[in-house]
Every structure is written in C-alpha cells, then in structure tokens.
Amino acid sequence: MASNSFLLSNKPATRQHAAIFNKEKYQSTLLAKRRMPSTLTQNVRKTVLENGLTVLTKEVHTAPVVTVQVWYKVGSRNEEPGVNGIAHQLEHMMFKGTLNRPIQFGRLFSALGSDSNAFTSYDQTAYYGTVERNKLKALLVLEADRMQNSQIEPEQLASEKRVVISELQGYENSPEYRLNRAVMKAVFPNHAYGLPVGGTKADVEKFEVEQVEKYYRNFYSPDNAVLVVVGDFQTANTLETIKEVFGKLPKKVRSEELGVRSKNTFTSSRSSPIILREPGAGRLLQVVYPLPDANQPDVPALDVMDYILTEGRNSRLYQALVESGLASEVTASVTSLRESGWYEVLVTAGSKQDLKKIDSMLSSAIANVAEKGVTSEEVKRAKTQLAADVILSNRDITSQAMRLGTDETTVGDYRYTDRYLAAVSLVKPTDVVAVINKYLKKEAKTVGFFEPTQKQITEVGDKPDSTQTKENFSPGVPVLPSEVIKYLPPVDLATNAIAQVLPQEFKFTNGLRLLLLPDRSTPTVTLSGHIQAGTEFDPENKAGLAAFVADNLLNGTNSKDDLTIAKVLAERGASLHFQTYREGVHIEGDSLALDLPILLEILADVVKNSTFPIKELELHRQQTLTDLQVELDEPSEVARRIFVQSIYPKEHPLHTFPTEESLQQIQRRDVIDFKAKHYRPDTTVLALVGDFDLDIVRSLIENDFGNWEVSGQAPTLKYPPVSLPQKIVSVNPVLPGKAQAVTYMGYTGINRYDPRFHAALVLNQILGGDTLSSRLGAQVRDRQGLSYGIYSSFQAGKNAGTFLIEMQTSPEDSSKAIASTCEILQQIHQQGVTALEVETAKRTLISNYNVSLANPEQLTDTILMNEVYGLDKEELHSFTDKIQKVTLTQVNQAARELLHPNQIVVVTAGPPVLAEKSIR
C-alpha cells in the first residue's frame, strides 16, 4: 500500500500536502454552469439517521457499479505534537479486522472485487470502495462493522507502526516533502495544519494501544460520519438497507475533542528564508501565503488568480520563470480547509540558477500583476478552464462521491461546490487584483529554500554483488481462502450484465485506425491514442530522443506557435498530452463534447506539422537535464534503471536510459528525422469514447488526418531473446540522505500473446496483485510489517516484458523482506496455489475489470490497447470469459514455468546502511 496524502494504494507517492485538495482534485476544478446545468448535486438526497449518521445518495445509472464511501470528520487537524499521526495510524488499523471478522479487511474487499482504499487528510479520514452493484450491501455491512467493532491488538499495532514508519521514510526521501514540512511548521506554529498529516517517526513509535483505542472511540461513530453512496441503485431500497445496517449503531458519548487548536493560526512571516542544506538533487523554492478557510467569500477569486498565475504556458509565472530559463517547473495550489487555508507555490530551479534571484523574480511577477491588473480575457480563460475541469474530473462515480464527501466534511454542506461555481462565474478582473493585494503581500509569505549539499548517486550500473546467503525466515502458513469466505457478507444474486456495446472500427487509406464508442452519459469526450514511436527506437548514444520528440510536439507548427496552441486549448479547458513508453507514444486528450473539433484539429496539426523551434528545444533540454538530476535522486528510479539494465544486455533495446551525455548529443536534425521516420498514420491508432455522433467524428478525422502521408515501410524491431540470470544477482546502489529503501526483484517475462497470459494474471493476483490480500501482501506487509507497499506484475506488451516485484522498506528490514519474498516465490513455484485462491482471484480480476470499464479514461485505454495488440474488438467483453475459464492446473503450471526464485535480479536502492549488509 502506498499513499497520495496518506491514500492507501499500490503506488508510492511523494507529496503529503497534495491531499485531495490539489489542482486536479479539488477547488481549482470548479466551474460548470456556463456550459451545462450543474449535475454535481442534482439527484443527491441527504438523509440523517436517528443516530446522527449523515447519508448522501446519488443515483447514476450509466454502468452497473456503485461506490460506497465513509467519511469521518477527523484528521490531522485534531492532533497536537506528541500524538501527531494518530489519525493516520488508526486509518491503517481499520483494515486489521473486527470482533466479528478477525481478518485483514483488504482480503475481504479483494474477494468482493472492490476497488477499495482509504486516506487521511487534514480535516477528514475516508474509506471507499467501488464494486459491481450486487455487492452494495456487502460493502455497507463491512463498513458498519468496522465503524463499531474494530480491534486494536498490541501485536498488530506494533507491526502496523513499522509499516507507517516505512511509509513516512518514503516521504522523507523527497526533498520537496522535507522542505514543505519545515515551511508549514513555520506558517502554522500553533495549529495542527503545521504538522505533517502522516505524523513523525518519533510520535508514531510511542503510540500505545490505549491511545489509538481512545481516538477510535472518540471519533468513529455514526454522528461524526458521512456515508456517501453513488451509482446504479434505487434510492428507496438502498436507504432501507442503510437504516437496517447502520441504524442500530449507537451514538458515542465522546470525551473532549483531542487537540483542537486555537483559531489564531498564522505566524508573522519570517524576513529570511528557511534554508535546508541536505543531500539531494535540484534546488527548490517554496513560498506559502496564509489564506482564509473554505467558507470565506474570497476563495473563488483566489482560484481564478491561481489559474492566471500558474496554469499552462500562457500563465504569468510560467512566462516569468520557466520561459526565462530561471526555473524548469513551477506549480501552485490553493488549499481551502475547515479552519484556514494557504497558497503554495513550488519552483524547481533551472540548472545553476540562484534561488534568491528566483524568489525575487517571483515577487516581482506577482507585484507586476497587482500593479497592472489582469485582462478580461485571462479571467474568462481561467473560468472556462475551471468549468471544463469540474466536468471532466467528475465523469466517474468514485470522483463524484469524493466531491460530495469532501464538501460535506470540510464545510458541512454537500452543495458547497454549486455555491462556489456560482461565485466563480461572477469573478471580475478587479476581484483577482484585490485578492492578490490582500493575501499575496510580501510580508505575509514564508519562503523555503532547498539547497542540495552533494552529488547524489554512486554510478548507476555498479558491478553486481552476487554473494548470497539465505536467512531462515519462513513465511509461515498463509491465511486460508476458506477464512475469507467465512467472513464475507452475502452478495445479492442479481447478475451484473455489462451492456455489450462494442466500438465501431474504421481504417483509412493511409493506414490510420480509428475506434469510436458513443457514450451520452456526460457532455465530454475522452481521446486515447498510440503511435509506434517509443523509447525502443532510441539510438544508443542519443537515449531520450523518442521522448524529446513527443515532449516537443506542442511547441509549434507551421501555422501556430507554442503559446497559440496552449491558448486555443486553454480557452476551451481542453487538454492534450503525449507520453513516451517503451513500445510507443501514448496520446491523452479530453474536452467538452462541443470542443472535440478543436481538440482533433490541434492533434492533427502537431503530429503532422510540428516544427521544433530551436529556442523551445533548448529550453526543453535544460528542463530535461534538471528532471534527470531529480530522478537520479529517487531510490525508485535508480532501482528501476539498474534492475532493467541488469536484466537486459547492452545490445537490447531496453537497456538504454537517458543520461546527461546522451541528452546533450541530441540535435534538432535528430528530432526532425526521428519524427519523420516514426510518426506515421499506419502505426497510429486513435480511440474516442464520449458524447458524439459517429458519422460526424469519422468525417472530422478524415478531414484532419486524411492527408497525412505515408512513405515506405514502417520501422520494425526484433527484440533479441534474453536468458534468465544463472543465480540470484544482488545490486545495492547507495543514495546518501535517504530514509527508505526501494527494492525491485524480477527477470524477463512474457508477451501479451503468450498462451499462459490469462493464467499468469490469475497467478499474479494471488502472488502480489494486491498489497493487502495477496500472499506477498498478507505475509511481508500485513503479518510481518516489513513493507509499506509490496506488489508484483507481469508487464506484457507486444514483446516479452518483465516480471517484477516492487517493495518499499525501512533499510533495516530490507534483508528480511527480500528473504521472505523469495520463500513465498519458492513455496508457490514448488507447491502451487489452491483451487479456492484461484476462484477468489478470478472473481477479483473480473469484478475489477468490470468496474474499470465504468471509468471513461480506462475504457478508452482498454479499447485502444486491444487494437494496438491486434486483438479482436470483442476482447473488450470476452476478456472476463477468458479469465473465468482459467483452471487451477493452468495456474500451477504457470507457477512452475514463470516463477524462478533462484534466478532473480534483486536491486535495492537507498541509504548507506544497506552497503554494510548483504542483501539477499
């Protein structure tokens, strides 16, 4: 499990303070009324049960899925030094089982096929799951059970404290996190908003069972909770079920609210910056200005201001800092919470640039906006972007429920967003200047500098250390799947037939392939595309070239410069991005349905006519070099590079990674030639899902892309075969100044066409497909508390991919975690898995897949990649049948053939303490 602001999930995150209040997820995405009537709170019904539980229900019948979320009105805001992190610790403990169900709840959610998770933030702690609709009652039963009956056992608390400390060490690896923590402590010296949401190692180590139990009793009760249910259900019946399941839970007589602080929250600003001189890479500047709480009338104008200052290439701070070469990146966010808020600007300095100078330029740019004002055009554009963002970020039911839960727990009104939208629509240029003058005053800001003290990394590609000893660390008996069945609530028998709608397929004379699936559920369009121009085609001495091309496509064409392109998209709130992967370039775009013609026109223009202006190329090179420095300071990136280079030999297309030298070698002529050679209609696939007419979109695409010419044959690659290592190979690159270690284990795997592919997916689900319910998760993370997150995957593409296990651990726990993982691999390789495990894994995979198709972005990507891999379009719905047909015999054969515990590459990147140990 890992976290985005203490969000329990499978991927590590870097930022505590992103919370759910970042630009993508919260306030800055809020203006819909100009384009469409607000549907955010239409059909929402609020019911308060006799025991005080607030229930918000919203029927959405676009797919047979539902989301169930329980939001508790408690977060790090209710803490104080000494018990900092207790809300987050309790969130972890809520998965440990109840009086009635003494079993890891992650295993129960997984068996239901629920996409479940949890997070802790400043004002709330939330638990959520999205499932097929017939499992709605089962999820309600589990949430009601842990609202009242969770058990905080001493042994489990001890192991979960280790997990939380491992998580915190992961955040500590990030200079950005450490800088933010220091700055926020200075901004809020007398309020819990100045404390890190996840806590500190010193406090977590001291937590006692009685403290955590008291916190649970105080805050986890129906009268301090909001239950949100959104999706495909009937309100009347569901409310009866909720009353039956939750109505019997008693209100709690709570003692004083722990740690609630004085409202006098802000400190006076510091005249000198906070300076962190620590190991790291890349200089960082962070500026924080105190703001009012979410209910204050200035908040809408502040969000419009933020968009004008930092959203996109036309924004004021991008122009002042990035275009000038002073910075490689500038990001900002308005955070509006229950008791106050803040505006945070984070700048990554350009190479060899001085932070004092950047700080001075930042202040000048803001002062300039205050003095000269903003234009009506800028305000209108910012409001349009907000309008589109709110619609585009609320297309799936999980996000819709998140917004309702956030609004109800932060400001006490689920209709907050609608009020806010109305207020944003009235913001004028004078309002933006007024809030800059009121809040972004020089004397109000707190500034932090991160100055790295040393070059970070020992040379990537250290000679492998092949010494090996085995620890006697038996994984013990796995939790039996029969236990899971015993504690699983009953599931309604109603079938969940997914409507078997298939995309329409078109192929143009130039070879371009197009897949279209109309979906009228929201007035939006999601675009996904693939061009066969990935990093596999990078020349060895110019690694990074493929990404260089994709990243610069939007920098100008024959008819438009980069600012014009950015402006055309921003004026409609549309987005278009290109991301380079091993086997291709992925195109991601979305817009309101009305603006699809503009989105397609820009896409066609940049893939056909991009000109790669020299000034923009050089600016991009400097940004990429800065990004590379930062990447090589991240244990996960260092571990990944060395892992891949230890598996694939030098002549293999996957062995090469960008370096400072290779990026400096790339010339404009290389970029133009690569684009001409690899960007071709006959290797391009586009998929669109959304509110459109088939014939109109087809003719639009024919008009925009029909004259894209093809010459000669498309370039192809043949990957050389790669043999497994002969023994366990261990490599331990050391990164000074890091608190947490990241380990990658694995070897070359299978491709998408391998007859064992579906059996391998089932095998992987059992082995490490889920951080809480898999064999690896249950043992290494849950029972032993050795890892914050551990999971495995078969990464299968057109060519043979990689089998890998990734985990994050405290450095002192790495050896044990690796030994335990090898034991589990050995156990499954030799003894296989059980029939019950196979059936549970199949149910989980099928349910997860069905839930994923209810999300337009995931649906569009699935349609796209099926076509890229040359699969039938029926695969969209036959995939679940193929999983269903997998047998125990096939899974155990896959275990024998695909798991190789004694022929595995193990790379652990992290603190120097690892160098003193022999990692096995």
Side-chain angles (χ1 to χ4, degrees), residues 283-285 349 353-359 449-451:
R283 291 182 179 85
L284 297 171
L285 163 71
Q353 296 294 340
D354 179 64
L355 290 175
K356 284 183 183 166
K357 184 179 177 186
I358 294 172
D359 184 32
F449 291 172
F450 180 82
E451 295 274 13

Side-chain angles (χ1 to χ4, degrees), residues 557-575:
T557 65
N558 297 329
S559 60
K560 298 180 187 73
D561 66 12
D562 59 332
L563 291 181
T564 305
I565 292 169
K567 194 172 167 186
V568 168
L569 291 169
E571 282 173 349
R572 288 155 180 83
S575 71

Side-chain angles (χ1 to χ4, degrees), residues 361-609:
M361 282 296 292
L362 175 68
S363 295
S364 298
I366 291 171
N368 188 45
V369 179
E371 186 186 331
K372 296 187 178 169
V374 295
T375 65
S376 298
E377 184 195 7
E378 283 178 302
V379 172
K380 184 182 176 189
R381 187 164 65 228
K383 283 153 65 163
T384 304
Q385 287 176 298
L386 285 164
D389 281 350
V390 74
I391 300 166
L392 294 168
S393 67
N394 279 283
R395 287 176 291 179
D396 63 283
I397 61 167
T398 305
S399 300
Q400 291 177 44
M402 284 272 178
R403 187 173 299 278
L404 295 171
T406 302
D407 286 353
E408 186 69 23
T409 53
T410 304
V411 297
D413 182 6
Y414 72 90
R415 293 161 306 198
Y416 171 75
T417 293
D418 284 347
R419 285 193 282 114
Y420 173 90
L421 296 176
V424 169
S425 70
L426 301 174
V427 171
K428 303 184 295 296
T430 49
D431 300 327
V432 174
V433 174
V435 293
I436 291 176
N437 283 321
K438 185 172 178 182
Y439 298 107
L440 270 54
K441 293 185 290 218
K442 205 169 182 181
E443 61 272 18
K445 72 178 185 178
T446 303
V447 178
F449 291 172
F450 180 82
E451 295 274 13
T453 55
Q454 64 191 92
K455 186 80 176 161
Q456 266 312 106
I457 178 175
T458 55
E459 192 58 38
V460 173
D462 283 359
K463 192 168 187 296
D465 161 23
S466 301
T467 55
Q468 177 203 345
T469 62
K470 280 202 171 181
E471 286 189 54
N472 182 18
F473 202 75
S474 166
V477 183
V479 177
L480 294 172
S482 56
E483 289 286 287
V484 179
I485 303 300
K486 184 165 87 180
Y487 295 120
L488 210 56
V491 169
D492 293 343
L493 295 175
T495 55
N496 278 321
I498 302 280
Q500 302 284 308
V501 184
L502 291 172
Q504 295 282 319
E505 203 171 329
F506 304 99
K507 188 169 181 180
F508 298 99
T509 51
N510 60 5
L512 177 77
R513 287 167 287 161
L514 173 65
L515 296 124
L516 300 176
L517 184 62
D519 169 13
R520 309 286 184 189
S521 59
T522 64
T524 65
V525 176
T526 306
L527 167 100
S528 205
H530 182 275
I531 302 174
Q532 200 173 307
T535 58
E536 61 188 5
F537 290 112
D538 273 350
E540 190 183 342
N541 65 335
K542 291 176 183 172
L545 178 58
F548 228 76
V549 175
D551 293 345
N552 282 281
L553 288 171
L554 291 162
N555 277 343
T557 65
N558 297 329
S559 60
K560 298 180 187 73
D561 66 12
D562 59 332
L563 291 181
T564 305
I565 292 169
K567 194 172 167 186
V568 168
L569 291 169
E571 282 173 349
R572 288 155 180 83
S575 71
L576 181 62
H577 302 287
F578 298 88
Q579 181 76 43
T580 315
Y581 295 99
R582 180 179 80 175
E583 290 187 341
V585 171
H586 186 66
I587 305 165
E588 246 178 69
D590 53 31
S591 74
L592 300 179
L594 291 173
D595 298 319
L596 178 60
I598 303 289
L599 184 65
L600 291 173
E601 185 188 310
I602 294 283
L603 173 61
D605 192 21
V606 300
V607 297
K608 291 188 302 187
N609 307 315

Side-chain angles (χ1 to χ4, degrees), residues 225-246:
V226 177
L227 171 66
V228 187
V229 184
V230 176
D232 192 16
F233 60 87
Q234 299 301 319
T235 302
N237 299 347
T238 299
L239 281 174
E240 284 308 310
T241 305
I242 289 168
K243 285 171 188 167
E244 173 201 329
V245 173
F246 281 90

